[in-house]
Amino acid sequence: MKYFAIASLSLICLSLAATTSVQATTNISNESKSIAMMIAIEPSSQITPFQLVSLAYQGTYRSEGIPGFASLIFGYHYRQITAKDVIKAAIAAKQLTPATLTDRDYVSAVDLQLFSLDRPD
C-alpha cells in the first residue's frame, strides 16, 4: 500500500512538472512570435522609442550599419551614431515610416533612450 501511494504521488509530481514546463515553453514561443510579427507586419504601425533602441541594442539593424550591444553605446557616446541614424535604419528595415524622421518628439525620445543606455545607474 505504501509503495502504491509513493508511486502515485511521484507520478503526479512528474506529470505536473512536465505539463508546467511544456506550457511555459509554449507561452514563451507564442510570445516571441507575436512580438516579431508585431514589429514586422507593416511600417505604419509605430514602434515605441524604447522598442526601437532595444532592437538596435540587440543588433537588429546591423545590416543597416547600426552596431549592437557595447558598440552601439560606444558609437553613441562618441557621437558616431545618432538617434536619427537609428531611425533611418528602422526606416530602411521597413519598421518605421519615413515621416518618423521629421517627428521631433519621436527623435528626442529615441535620443533620450540612447542617452539612458550610455549612462550607468
Side-chain angles (χ1 to χ4, degrees), residues 92-115:
K94 302 200 184 324
Q95 294 179 337
L96 288 174
T97 60
T100 309
L101 202 52
T102 58
D103 183 351
R104 286 188 207 175
D105 293 333
Y106 194 87
V107 174
S108 294
V110 171
D111 192 50
L112 182 63
Q113 291 297 325
L114 287 167
F115 179 79

Side-chain angles (χ1 to χ4, degrees), residues 36-51:
M37 287 177 60
M38 177 183 73
I39 292 170
I41 285 177
E42 56 184 76
S44 63
S45 63
Q46 192 82 330
I47 58 176
T48 67
F50 177 80
Q51 290 171 326

